[in-house]
Amino acid sequence: MSARDSSGSPSRRSSSKEKKTGSAKGKEKDSASAQDSSRSPSRGSSRRSKSKDKKSGSAKRKAKDSTRKHEESPASAVSGHPEYIIPLVLTSKTQEIFHCKADEDVTQDSPMILLQKEELLSDLKSRAAVSDFSPFKSVITEYPGEELLLVFDSEFRYGQNFYLVVTEEAKESLLHPPEPVTDEEDKEEDAGDYTYLPPVSKPWISLGSELEIEDEMVKETQTKIKFMISRVHREFGSHISFGDYNASDVKDGYMECTSYQDKRFSIRPKERELGIQVVPLIQEQSTQTKWTYPQNACTQYTPREFSEEEKQERLSSKELKEFINSVSLRLELALQQNEILNPFVDDWKALSEQESTFGGKADSHLKEYQSFTDHQFGSDKTISCIDWHPTLHGIVAVSLMERLSFEDRVNLSSKLILKPSLILIWNLLDPIHPQLTLECPDDIYCFQFCPSDPAVIVGGCINGQVVLWDISAYSEQLTAKTSVTKHAGPKTALEPKHSSQPQCVRYCAVSSIEHGHKSVITDVHWLPDLYEITRTGQPYENKSGCCIQLVTCSPDCSVMFWDIRSHKMNMQTATNRKLAEENKREIPFGVPDTFQHLDLIWRPLIKTSISKLDAGGEYSPIKVSLREEHYHSRTLDKLKAQVKEEKSEGAINYRSLRATSAKNAKVLEDVSTHYFAATEDGALVYTDWKMEKDGDTGRLISSKPTQAHVIHDGLVHTVQRSPFLKDIVLTVGGWNFAIWKEGVTGGPLLQSCCSQKRLTAAHWSFSRAGVFFIGKEDGNVDIWDLLGKTHEPSQTQNISAAAITYIKPAIVSAKQHFLALSDDNGTLHVLEIPWTLHHPSVNENASVQHYFEREVKHLEYYEQRKSARAAEKTALERRDLSKKAELVPPVKSKEQLTEETNQEYAAYAVFQDATLTGLGLKSEEVTVKS
């Protein structure tokens, strides 16, 4: 075997020195061919060459074009690999057998090596299925040549460490790259003479374009009405006489030409176009009594009394004595009862007054339990998100954000860098000092605790980056300050503690700016620990038992799915190991290396978009709602049960977690991949996150939404499923809210009327199925109870003078429920929910579900009546058109009209002669025709 020659051919198991000299020469050739491949050798017109040099130049161009077909750029390698190669993984044993060890026999400078076809077939016979080439046995057997080209892929462009070239044309193009074309050859080829070819006429072939043009043309569908106006024949050439009229005979000298009704025409107007200008409505009304008909009436204003004689007569009468004797016993009994009990007391009113104090069963008002304001970091800031600790009850976290518009934020960007962006973690018993502060690279708009590992927190920045924190090192500090022991029962913070200065925790990892969102991240959710999704969106069984994936959305028209596990292969080169060691030493002091494998290189697993149904473009999602969501603090069963002991093995090692293989994973068919997305235009979209293959390009594209409704008149900031009924969704935006049912495409089950103030936040109750809370911009909170009222809130309570920005309830114990609200001034209000609002009634869940089922039937009935009315309207319009066609008289021709006029004139002439003859004004003349 010879070493690499000057043409750049690979070595055939030669010594290392020969490989190095050959690789240096091949590298020069590769760089020259790469520079030459960036040019575009194609030309638009046909030319004729006149010399052999020009022919050789065109031949070089053709060879160059054929080579470019077998080369792939790094950008195209991401989506797939060319058809002429097969990516494969060669184990160390296989590399030793074929003398192709990585970074020894084959390197990045000299990556190609030729393998004998006979040796491959013998290896397949000897090792059978153990051989790394066994999946491609048929390809190797049918290969026409005697030698196959194996290339070492050090950069993993096609996903594996090697790839095998399976065509002779591709092998020759890689082994013998074409020579670069010089500028002189380009100029000589461009200098060729142009030959004019006259156009050749071709017969017209109709492809249906003229039919489309005719369909788009406006055509007259109504028949025109023709009128012919002419003078009566007898008036032709008749003498016209004018007369005088005395104007004084008529009052004011005005002659009225009154209109008359022509009975020949009877047209009923069906459509009328009117234009009116808005003017102030002026109305005068006066009333005193309802006037019906006049009648005499009198009013008595002085009493009528009996006279003395009449009084004596009445008192001594027998009827009075009998009446007194008959009612005396009942009167005595009533007097005795009045002494014992007051009959005029309202028992129901007295019963409600007994429990009027707060905390009783009749009380329904929210009571402020605690309020938090940080004057050091939270001045001139607002609270953008709230979340309760999943296991330590009484620990609540809030994210602070500057109250600035986009323009002001850009203008003040230099000053904002100096201000820290933090997430504050508070304890309910210490409203002055926060327990921990989480440092952020930029202002956090939304964040969430991990349900399976509460020490992990994910947040979305306004610059589009996803941030991860690990506070496992401070869990003992939080537990000690909340007086929680391992065997002390439920974890709660409602116990005395000692205050201390807050400690600042730096983030562990942040996503890549280039591959993340381009705008603010408005929502983030952890995917349940029951399943995980692949790059195509297919749900598989999650064997790790913890939440490892999450979803984010942004107004940049994208919804992204992220995976916090390491996707790097176990096999690493010496260079990669060296870089990993250098990055490991660069970790700041005190920052855990939990997510070191993701820092600054974290990319989304899936990037989807939601295209519009009716027009071009894409929706801008603000909030998303998955069918499977975590409500760790909803049910009371977890509070009644014993607290589980913590795992002895400690925290989860996320660096050791790897993505499960698609061959061994179990596909979950019962997991729904559809989700709701709310947009900034007030629309609610229902779509699927599974990727589809494009029939033309073969690439994975986002699925189209199945339905979209525009109900809200503003940005939809809340889209949330009911904790009790997963198919019931609450959306709030603008000035109204709506309740939807998954699977019902007709529209919302319940839609509120427009409020006087804008709605800014909302959340379902964790303990009652028919109760939810809505915050408004005037600082009030509306409490809705669907079992009590559906047209208006059950009660409205003022919480703050500023707008409510976020609402988050929590269950501390079976008797104590909290509601956390934040306002635009940066204050966190923790309210205690009364007994009536957190204690469900008997069969409340079934009653609410029955109510939604009735609303679904009403909506279906409305759609049926709507379609029936539309059919009736169409039938009436057709009937009216048919009647109108029958009433229209036939159009007569000019000859028929002339003949009818002549007949009328002849009949009139005969009548005139007969009348004049009868009156003796005309003698009968007998004309004799000769």
Side-chain angles (χ1 to χ4, degrees):
M1 299 299 176
S2 60
R4 178 186 289 269
D5 55 5
S6 60
S7 62
S9 60
S11 62
R12 303 183 181 180
R13 303 174 187 172
S14 58
S15 62
S16 60
K17 294 183 180 179
E18 293 176 349
K19 290 178 184 178
K20 291 182 180 179
T21 56
S23 63
K25 295 179 182 179
K27 188 174 183 181
E28 296 176 358
K29 289 291 185 178
D30 294 340
S31 62
S33 63
Q35 293 177 359
D36 183 58
S37 65
S38 62
R39 303 175 184 174
S40 177
S42 60
R43 293 291 184 268
S45 61
S46 61
R47 302 173 181 178
R48 296 182 180 178
S49 59
K50 296 183 178 181
S51 62
K52 295 181 180 180
D53 296 337
K54 296 179 182 178
K55 291 181 180 179
S56 62
S58 61
K60 292 177 182 179
R61 287 178 177 275
K62 291 181 181 179
K64 177 185 174 183
D65 294 339
S66 64
T67 305
R68 291 182 64 189
K69 294 180 182 179
H70 301 289
E71 293 182 356
E72 291 290 334
S73 63
S76 63
V78 176
S79 60
H81 58 80
E83 297 180 355
Y84 59 85
I85 69 170
I86 298 176
L88 48 86
V89 178
L90 297 185
T91 59
S92 58
K93 181 65 177 177
T94 305
Q95 295 179 14
E96 183 179 353
I97 292 174
F98 291 95
H99 303 285
C100 57
K101 293 184 179 180
D103 295 331
E104 294 181 5
D105 298 332
V106 287
T107 61
Q108 186 176 6
D109 298 333
S110 178
M112 294 182 289
I113 187 172
L114 291 173
L115 303 179
Q116 294 294 329
K117 180 179 178 181
E118 296 179 357
E119 295 181 1
L120 294 176
L121 295 177
S122 62
D123 181 70
L124 291 173
K125 291 180 180 179
S126 61
R127 295 200 298 168
V130 182
S131 176
D132 294 336
F133 299 97
S134 60
F136 318 107
K137 181 179 180 180
S138 59
V139 178
I140 297 173
T141 306
E142 297 176 0
Y143 187 76
E146 296 298 329
E147 294 178 340
L148 283 83
L149 181 61
L150 180 67
V151 182
F152 173 57
D153 191 358
S154 60
E155 297 180 356
F156 293 90
R157 285 199 309 168
Y158 303 118
Q160 307 297 344
N161 56 353
F162 286 89
Y163 63 86
L164 188 68
V165 182
V166 296
T167 61
E168 285 287 334
E169 182 182 1
K171 183 181 75 174
E172 293 298 329
S173 63
L174 293 175
L175 293 177
H176 307 289
E179 297 181 359
V181 181
T182 62
D183 296 338
E184 296 179 358
E185 295 177 355
D186 286 342
K187 293 179 180 179
E188 291 177 0
E189 186 175 354
D190 294 341
D193 298 334
Y194 291 96
T195 302
Y196 173 72
L197 297 177
V200 180
S201 62
K202 298 180 181 179
W204 166 257
I205 299 175
S206 175
L207 298 179
S209 59
E210 69 277 3
L211 299 178
E212 296 180 0
I213 295 174
E214 291 180 1
D215 293 339
E216 295 296 332
M217 293 176 63
V218 179
K219 299 180 181 179
E220 296 182 358
T221 57
Q222 297 181 354
T223 57
K224 294 184 178 180
I225 301 175
K226 299 180 180 179
F227 294 97
M228 187 182 67
I229 303 174
S230 61
R231 294 179 67 184
V232 184
H233 188 270
R234 63 176 178 271
E235 296 181 358
F236 290 167
S238 60
H239 180 69
I240 299 175
S241 59
F242 296 95
D244 297 335
Y245 190 83
N246 190 2
S248 61
D249 295 343
V250 184
K251 185 179 180 181
D252 298 331
Y254 172 73
M255 293 294 295
E256 182 182 5
C257 298
T258 58
S259 61
Y260 64 96
Q261 183 178 4
D262 193 352
K263 297 183 179 179
R264 293 180 299 175
F265 298 97
S266 177
I267 301 176
R268 295 178 56 190
K270 296 212 175 161
E271 291 186 5
R272 181 176 298 174
E273 184 176 356
L274 297 176
I276 40 179
Q277 186 178 4
V278 178
V279 295
L281 298 178
I282 300 175
Q283 186 177 5
E284 293 184 1
Q285 291 183 355
S286 62
T287 180
Q288 185 177 7
T289 57
K290 186 178 179 182
W291 179 263
T292 54
Y293 55 88
Q295 62 180 356
N296 296 326
C298 61
T299 303
Q300 180 183 355
Y301 58 90
T302 56
R304 292 180 295 177
E305 297 181 354
F306 292 109
S307 60
E308 293 296 333
E309 292 81 6
E310 290 176 345
K311 290 180 181 179
Q312 294 295 331
E313 183 179 358
R314 297 283 181 176
L315 291 175
S316 60
S317 62
K318 184 179 180 181
E319 291 81 1
L320 181 61
K321 294 180 181 180
E322 292 177 354
F323 171 74
I324 292 176
N325 293 330
S326 62
V327 299
S328 59
L329 295 177
R330 286 182 290 173
L331 179 61
E332 292 176 359
L333 182 59
L335 293 175
Q336 292 175 2
Q337 290 178 350
N338 290 343
E339 292 293 335
I340 300 173
L341 178 65
N342 186 7
F344 302 103
V345 174
D346 190 355
D347 296 332
W348 292 105
K349 185 177 180 181
L351 180 62
S352 62
E353 289 177 353
Q354 291 178 1
E355 298 180 354
S356 60
T357 58
F358 183 83
K361 296 183 179 180
D363 182 38
S364 60
H365 293 280
L366 301 173
K367 180 184 178 182
E368 185 161 1
Y369 183 85
Q370 191 59 269
S371 62
F372 301 89
T373 303
D374 187 82
H375 298 284
Q376 182 180 0
F377 305 108
S379 59
D380 298 332
K381 290 188 177 182
T382 183
I383 296 178
S384 59
C385 186
I386 305 173
D387 198 14
W388 293 85
H389 198 282
T391 55
L392 299 179
H393 302 300
I395 301 297
V396 59
V398 296
S399 58
L400 303 178
M401 192 174 66
E402 294 287 344
R403 288 197 304 268
L404 296 175
S405 61
F406 179 78
E407 296 180 358
D408 296 336
R409 188 177 289 273
V410 172
N411 297 332
L412 302 175
S413 59
S414 59
K415 296 182 180 179
L416 294 179
I417 296 177
L418 303 177
K419 295 184 179 180
S421 301
L422 300 174
I423 292 179
L424 305 181
I425 300 180
W426 296 92
N427 193 321
L428 289 183
L429 291 182
D430 190 1
I432 300 177
H433 305 289
Q435 303 301 310
L436 289 176
T437 59
L438 307 183
E439 183 183 357
C440 313
D442 206 340
D443 286 350
I444 296 293
Y445 190 88
C446 57
F447 70 97
Q448 191 178 26
F449 284 93
C450 181
S452 59
D453 187 3
V456 177
I457 304 174
V458 64
C461 297
I462 63 172
N463 61 357
Q465 289 182 296
V466 184
V467 191
L468 288 172
W469 290 272
D470 184 9
I471 59 173
S472 57
Y474 306 92
S475 59
E476 295 181 1
Q477 177 182 350
L478 293 176
T479 305
K481 291 188 176 183
T482 54
S483 301
V484 178
T485 58
K486 187 174 181 180
H487 303 285
K491 299 179 181 180
T492 176
L494 306 181
E495 297 180 10
K497 67 177 192 59
H498 300 285
S499 62
S500 63
Q501 293 297 329
Q503 296 186 7
C504 186
V505 182
R506 193 179 183 274
Y507 53 90
C508 298
V510 65
S511 64
S512 173
I513 298 180
E514 295 82 7
H515 302 89
H517 291 283
K518 307 304 179 185
S519 183
V520 54
I521 298 178
T522 54
D523 199 10
V524 59
H525 291 276
W526 287 95
L527 266 66
D529 53 1
L530 303 175
Y531 66 91
E532 62 178 285
I533 61 175
T534 60
R535 293 186 179 274
T536 60
Q538 188 71 24
Y540 286 88
E541 182 182 6
N542 185 5
K543 297 183 179 180
S544 62
C546 59
C547 298
I548 53 177
Q549 292 177 343
L550 52 97
V551 58
T552 59
C553 70
S554 174
D556 61 353
C557 306
S558 64
V559 177
M560 297 184 182
F561 292 80
W562 306 76
D563 197 323
I564 62 176
R565 296 173 297 184
S566 177
H567 289 270
K568 296 181 180 179
M569 300 188 60
N570 294 329
M571 183 182 298
Q572 294 182 354
T573 61
T575 306
N576 294 338
R577 292 193 190 98
K578 186 176 181 181
L579 292 175
E581 293 177 358
E582 291 179 357
N583 295 334
K584 186 175 182 180
R585 288 196 298 269
E586 294 176 358
I587 300 176
F589 178 78
V591 178
D593 59 348
T594 310
F595 303 101
Q596 179 189 357
H597 56 281
L598 300 176
D599 194 17
L600 297 176
I601 60 171
W602 194 14
R603 298 185 180 184
L605 180 68
I606 303 176
K607 182 178 181 181
T608 64
S609 59
I610 307 174
S611 58
K612 293 186 178 180
L613 292 174
D614 52 351
E618 298 174 346
Y619 287 104
S620 300
I622 299 296
K623 296 289 182 180
V624 296
S625 176
L626 309 180
R627 184 172 178 84
E628 301 293 337
E629 291 187 3
H630 293 280
Y631 289 102
H632 48 269
S633 57
R634 177 180 65 82
T635 57
L636 296 177
D637 299 335
K638 293 187 178 182
L639 295 174
K640 297 177 182 179
Q642 297 293 332
V643 178
K644 295 182 179 180
E645 295 184 359
E646 298 179 357
K647 295 182 179 180
S648 59
E649 60 269 21
I652 303 171
N653 188 4
Y654 293 97
R655 290 176 296 174
S656 62
L657 295 178
R658 293 291 184 272
T660 57
S661 176
K663 297 180 180 179
N664 302 327
K666 178 182 178 182
V667 181
L668 301 180
E669 300 293 341
D670 55 344
V671 174
S672 176
T673 58
H674 289 78
Y675 66 98
F676 284 96
T679 67
E680 61 181 358
D681 299 329
L684 181 66
V685 186
Y686 188 66
T687 184
D688 192 351
W689 71 58
K690 283 185 180 179
M691 307 295 288
E692 298 177 351
K693 272 194 175 182
D694 190 4
D696 299 332
T697 61
R699 296 181 178 180
L700 295 175
I701 59 175
S702 303
S703 303
K704 292 186 177 180
T706 56
Q707 56 178 324
H709 300 276
V710 180
I711 297 296
H712 303 282
D713 48 1
L715 182 144
V716 182
H717 53 76
T718 300
V719 51
Q720 188 183 95
R721 294 179 182 268
S722 173
F724 301 88
L725 305 173
K726 291 185 178 180
D727 55 349
I728 300 299
V729 180
L730 170 67
T731 60
V732 182
W735 282 268
N736 63 342
F737 72 90
I739 296 179
W740 311 74
K741 183 178 176 64
E742 189 175 9
V744 178
T745 61
L749 304 182
L750 178 64
Q751 181 181 356
S752 68
C753 59
C754 291
S755 175
Q756 295 181 358
K757 299 294 182 180
R758 186 189 297 269
L759 309 182
T760 56
H763 206 286
W764 285 99
S765 173
F766 282 153
S767 54
R768 291 191 56 185
V771 175
F772 54 93
F773 310 90
I774 294 180
K776 297 190 292 186
E777 63 179 354
D778 58 351
N780 292 339
V781 175
D782 290 339
I783 303 173
W784 289 78
D785 188 356
L786 298 179
L787 295 182
K789 299 178 183 179
T790 57
H791 64 283
E792 64 180 2
S794 300
Q795 60 176 333
T796 301
Q797 187 172 344
N798 182 264
I799 304 300
S800 174
I804 303 297
T805 59
Y806 205 88
I807 297 178
K808 186 74 173 182
I811 300 177
V812 176
S813 63
K815 296 182 179 180
Q816 197 168 29
H817 295 222
F818 288 142
L819 182 67
L821 297 96
S822 61
D823 58 14
D824 198 37
N825 293 333
T827 303
L828 174 65
H829 304 269
V830 178
L831 308 176
E832 188 173 359
I833 302 176
W835 184 87
T836 55
L837 293 179
H838 72 75
H839 184 75
S841 59
V842 181
N843 299 327
E844 181 173 351
N845 297 351
S847 301
V848 174
Q849 186 174 4
H850 183 59
Y851 166 74
F852 289 131
E853 291 175 357
R854 292 200 312 268
E855 292 299 324
V856 171
K857 294 180 181 178
H858 293 167
L859 187 60
E860 293 175 354
Y861 175 76
Y862 169 75
E863 295 294 332
Q864 294 176 1
R865 295 298 301 167
K866 187 177 179 180
S867 58
R869 292 296 184 187
E872 292 177 2
K873 183 179 180 181
T874 305
L876 290 175
E877 290 176 354
R878 292 178 180 176
R879 190 183 305 169
D880 293 343
L881 289 175
S882 60
K883 289 183 179 180
K884 186 177 181 180
E886 295 175 358
L887 295 176
V888 173
V891 180
K892 298 180 180 180
S893 62
K894 185 176 181 180
E895 291 78 6
Q896 293 177 351
L897 293 174
T898 305
E899 184 179 356
E900 290 180 359
T901 305
N902 293 337
Q903 290 178 0
E904 291 179 358
Y905 180 73
Y908 174 74
V910 173
F911 174 72
Q912 183 181 9
D913 293 341
T915 304
L916 295 176
T917 304
L919 296 176
L921 300 176
K922 184 178 181 182
S923 59
E924 295 182 359
E925 296 179 358
V926 179
T927 60
V928 179
K929 295 182 180 180
S930 58

